[in-house]
Amino acid sequence: MDRVTPQEIEISYPAVSELRGQRFLVKYGGAAMEDAQTKHLVCSEVASLVSLGLSIVVVHGGGKEITRMIERLGLSSHFIDGLRVTSDEAMLATEMVLSGSINGDLVSRISREGAPAVGLSGRAAGLLQAKRLRSKRGEDLGRTGEVAHSSPAAVEALLRAGLVPVVSPVGEADDGSALNLNADYAAAALAGSTQAACCVFLTDVPGVKRDGVVLPKLTPRVVAELIESGVISGGMIPKVECAVRALDAGCPRAVIAHAAKRLAITHGLLGTPGCGSTLTAS
């Protein structure tokens, strides 16, 4: 299976050497995780960038695999406002999938590509402290939550040790219970708390489009206008909202990029033409 190598990155983009020593966050999930070749490209690129001296934190999702597990267990599953309603039983399955099989698979893949990785649940050392979330109409979403605070001590320790933290979006409430978090929101919070120079949201589309054309540069004001006018709709709304949240949390730049594109992460970090949709504060 084809893979990304450090040599390919250095030859194609010598400017990547200017990013050595900087910290970045990569969010990988959704439909982009379903294709085996895309997963191989993403994991090999993360490992290659780390070998070139960049510090990278990975946050992953896994909604489709959670749905499959819930169905296998005979549990019901439904969504409100695009958010999964998570029962106590479904939360057990969710945590098993996110912090177990998916996290372990990504950790293994990145490590085998030459960058030692360590899996972390958002419950580790207060990494993703959370609170229960309700729908926009006040409906109970069960054990679905949102990030209340992020304490990055565990991630910081791993980065200092030269390891790649791979974080599953399971948060912990004040009472110690696990909460199911949207991975994009978890990534936005961690991009701020870890002081990432850029947050790349890998998805299954090339960016935010208007009339079929990708918009290369966006600001929070423009995003709000595009949502209001209906140009940004459906599943892209939470994606851009999370990118804006990353900016609000202190991350200078966020990029929405196509995971299946070769060197998608490198393109995003460098801001090369065609990298996707880049969001900045102004």
Side-chain angles (χ1 to χ4, degrees):
M1 200 176 275
D2 198 14
R3 59 188 292 270
V4 173
T5 66
Q7 294 77 18
E8 178 186 357
I9 295 174
E10 284 187 306
I11 292 171
S12 301
Y13 296 100
V16 78
S17 62
E18 299 172 11
L19 304 181
R20 287 185 179 126
Q22 296 186 45
R23 185 174 297 173
F24 303 96
L25 190 139
V26 173
K27 186 271 172 175
Y28 178 46
M33 293 189 73
E34 295 292 292
D35 180 70
Q37 174 61 17
T38 298
K39 188 180 293 186
H40 189 66
L41 285 175
V42 169
C43 291
S44 62
E45 187 177 5
V46 167
S48 294
L49 288 168
V50 170
S51 73
L52 292 172
L54 285 67
S55 293
I56 295 182
V57 179
V58 177
V59 177
H60 66 80
K64 291 185 180 296
E65 194 162 330
I66 291 170
T67 297
R68 288 193 288 267
M69 176 61 76
I70 287 175
E71 290 174 349
R72 283 200 293 270
L73 294 174
L75 302 174
S76 62
S77 178
H78 67 285
F79 294 78
I80 297 176
D81 297 335
L83 296 169
R84 187 188 301 274
V85 178
T86 310
S87 65
D88 290 347
E89 296 81 5
M91 187 65 233
L92 292 174
T94 296
E95 188 164 22
M96 179 171 62
V97 169
L98 288 175
S99 299
S101 57
I102 293 178
N103 191 271
D105 178 59
L106 292 177
V107 164
S108 175
R109 287 172 180 271
I110 294 169
S111 296
R112 283 186 282 120
E113 291 293 339
V118 175
L120 282 176
S121 164
R123 302 178 74 182
L127 185 59
L128 293 172
Q129 298 164 42
K131 60 183 180 181
R132 289 188 181 238
L133 182 65
R134 301 188 77 85
S135 77
K136 294 177 180 178
R137 294 179 294 279
E139 297 155 296
D140 183 16
L141 298 176
R143 296 278 288 277
T144 295
E146 62 179 335
V147 181
H149 181 69
S150 173
S151 299
V155 164
E156 299 281 355
L158 292 175
L159 291 174
R160 286 195 298 270
L163 303 170
V164 182
V166 180
V167 181
S168 71
V170 177
E172 185 162 290
D174 289 341
D175 63 1
S177 62
L179 293 177
N180 179 22
L181 305 177
N182 179 294
D184 289 325
Y185 288 92
L190 282 170
S193 68
T194 60
Q195 299 182 314
C198 179
C199 180
V200 178
F201 293 88
L202 294 176
T203 184
D204 60 341
V205 294
V208 179
K209 292 182 179 180
R210 179 167 55 192
D211 299 327
V213 179
V214 173
L215 299 172
K217 296 189 181 300
L218 296 168
T219 64
R221 180 182 61 79
V222 172
V223 164
E225 292 172 353
L226 293 175
I227 292 175
E228 178 67 24
S229 66
V231 172
I232 296 177
S233 61
M236 185 55 74
I237 291 179
K239 194 74 64 179
V240 294
E241 288 181 340
C242 288
V244 171
R245 283 194 179 206
L247 300 182
D248 291 341
C251 184
R253 194 162 56 89
V255 181
I256 298 173
H258 201 325
K261 181 177 180 179
R262 193 171 188 86
L263 299 181
I265 302 171
T266 304
H267 281 287
L269 298 185
L270 291 173
T272 59
C275 69
S277 296
T278 299
L279 286 85
T280 55
S282 59

